[in-house]
């Protein structure tokens, strides 16, 4: 086990955010990456970079917008970090993480995503396995579909081609795959009596 960084305060490009809400998590090479957004909506979303071996915090990547960043996945084949971004998925190169760690700075700002691709839902979670990026939406009371996109390359940039759909249970929050292709998911309900699906 390890403590999530940034829960008391997060340095977002020189501004202190005290209400960051952790969202997605993935492993990427030597790192554990955790996405988070500012509950107050004042500051940009971030990715906390942690050492996979020591479980210690290293640095923060400041994203170019205030997306909820509910899902994050590492495409080990093409070396990109994919982030859910409203009704789209966006990516930044893995090199962005490596360079940020090398500088030793407390944060690195990403001026813009390297690419953004529209999807037919609000991307709440994403996962990667064997060349496919899976994207799904949270629904409280019904099953929904996760869409599978084959990751290719066009002129040196990633491309996404829709290939498959799988049915997911209600209240799915996050997914991941193990090395044998088994899918694992987390489900959770609302946290207040005033909200449906409590």
């Amino acid at each position: 086990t390890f403590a999530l960084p940034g829960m008391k305060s997060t340095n977002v490009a020189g501004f202190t955010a005290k209400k960051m809400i952790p969202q997605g998590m993935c492993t990427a090479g030597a790192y554990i990456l955790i996405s988070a957004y500012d509950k107050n909506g004042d500051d940009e979303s971030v990715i906390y970079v942690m050492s996979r071996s020591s479980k210690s915090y290293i640095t923060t990547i400041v994203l170019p917008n205030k997306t909820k960043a509910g899902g994050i996945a590492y495409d080990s084949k093409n070396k990109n970090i994919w982030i859910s971004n409203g009704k789209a998925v966006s990516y930044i190169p893995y090199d962005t993480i490596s360079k940020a760690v090398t500088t030793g700075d407390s944060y690195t700002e990403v001026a813009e995503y390297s690419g953004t691709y529209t999807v037919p839902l609000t991307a709440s979670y994403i996962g990667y396995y064997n060349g496919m990026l899976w994207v799904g939406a949270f629904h409280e009371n019904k099953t929904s579909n996760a869409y599978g996109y084959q990751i290719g390359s066009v002129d040196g940039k990633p491309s996404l081609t829709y290939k498959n759909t799988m049915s997911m249970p209600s209240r799915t929050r996050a997914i991941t795959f193990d090395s044998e292709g088994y899918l694992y998911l987390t489900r959770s309900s609302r946290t207040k009596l005033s909200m449906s699906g409590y």
Side-chain angles (χ1 to χ4, degrees):
T1 62
F2 57 90
L4 295 180
M7 296 300 93
K8 286 189 175 181
S9 67
T10 297
N11 183 345
V12 183
F15 295 91
T16 301
K18 294 191 173 184
K19 296 263 185 174
M20 295 305 267
I21 307 296
Q23 291 292 288
M25 178 168 35
C26 72
T27 56
Y31 311 113
I32 297 170
L33 307 179
I34 302 168
S35 60
Y37 75 96
D38 182 8
K39 183 179 181 181
N40 292 335
D42 296 326
D43 295 306
E44 284 74 19
S45 299
V46 300
I47 298 172
Y48 302 116
V49 182
M50 300 182 67
S51 165
R52 197 168 170 180
S53 57
S54 69
K55 310 298 187 290
S56 59
Y57 165 77
I58 303 171
T59 190
T60 299
I61 306 295
V62 180
L63 296 174
N65 64 353
K66 299 175 183 179
T67 181
K68 281 197 170 182
I72 184 170
Y74 173 50
D75 163 14
S76 55
K77 182 179 178 184
N78 295 296
K79 309 291 185 194
N80 291 308
I81 308 299
W82 295 86
I83 302 143
S84 59
N85 187 8
K87 291 194 172 183
V89 291
S90 301
Y91 80 91
I92 58 175
Y94 177 82
D95 284 350
T96 301
I97 308 296
S98 301
K99 289 175 183 175
V101 169
T102 302
T103 66
D105 294 335
S106 59
Y107 66 86
T108 297
E109 291 182 87
V110 174
E112 60 183 358
Y113 293 111
S114 298
T116 296
Y117 306 83
T118 302
V119 292
L121 43 73
T122 298
S124 303
Y125 58 85
I126 56 178
Y128 171 82
Y129 177 71
N130 195 26
M132 296 275 287
L133 190 70
W134 291 92
V135 184
F138 174 83
H139 286 284
E140 292 174 6
N141 301 312
K142 63 179 182 179
T143 60
S144 61
N145 290 328
Y147 296 89
Y149 296 89
Q150 189 76 45
I151 302 175
S153 180
V154 176
D155 297 328
K157 291 189 72 173
S159 63
L160 294 182
T161 304
Y162 168 73
K163 289 288 183 183
N164 228 322
T165 302
M166 65 176 160
S167 181
M168 301 294 286
S170 63
R171 299 174 186 157
T172 297
R173 291 284 189 181
I175 63 171
T176 193
F177 298 85
D178 68 16
S179 59
E180 296 179 7
Y182 285 96
L183 168 68
Y184 299 83
L185 59 88
T186 60
R187 301 173 70 202
S188 93
S189 302
R190 299 293 189 175
T191 57
K192 298 178 182 177
L193 278 170
S194 60
M195 304 170 94
S196 62
Y198 172 72

